[in-house]
């Protein structure tokens, strides 16, 4: 088993869960978020998770 695959898999799961939560909070009719402050936190978390995943993929 390769130990370098662990953090990438965990971050992938985090990115999927946070992305779905962010998608559910967005109202497409009014183009606003239900809870703007929480959406900012979700967005930052999603951005960090995707950035780390991409960096790990580039190293390989």
């Amino acid at each position: 088993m390769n130990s370098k695959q662990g953090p990438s898999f965990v971050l992938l799961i985090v990115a999927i869960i946070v992305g779905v939560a962010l998608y559910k909070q967005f109202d497409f009719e009014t183009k606003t978020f239900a809870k703007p402050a929480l959406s900012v936190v979700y967005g930052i978390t999603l951005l960090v998770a995707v950035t780390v995943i991409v960096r790990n993929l580039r190293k390989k």
Side-chain angles (χ1 to χ4, degrees):
M1 236 179 164
N2 192 356
S3 64
K4 292 184 181 180
Q5 300 257 355
S8 181
F9 178 73
V10 171
L11 286 174
L12 182 63
I13 298 299
V14 167
I16 290 170
I17 291 171
V18 171
V20 168
L22 193 61
Y23 178 78
K24 285 183 179 181
Q25 284 196 4
F26 188 71
D27 184 14
F28 288 98
E29 290 180 7
T30 60
K31 294 184 175 67
T32 59
F33 287 100
K35 299 176 183 175
L38 186 60
S39 298
V40 169
V41 174
Y42 284 165
I44 292 170
T45 305
L46 182 63
L47 183 66
V48 169
V50 170
T51 303
V52 172
I53 290 170
V54 169
R55 282 186 185 174
N56 285 343
L57 288 176
R58 281 188 171 179
K59 286 183 181 179
K60 293 180 184 179

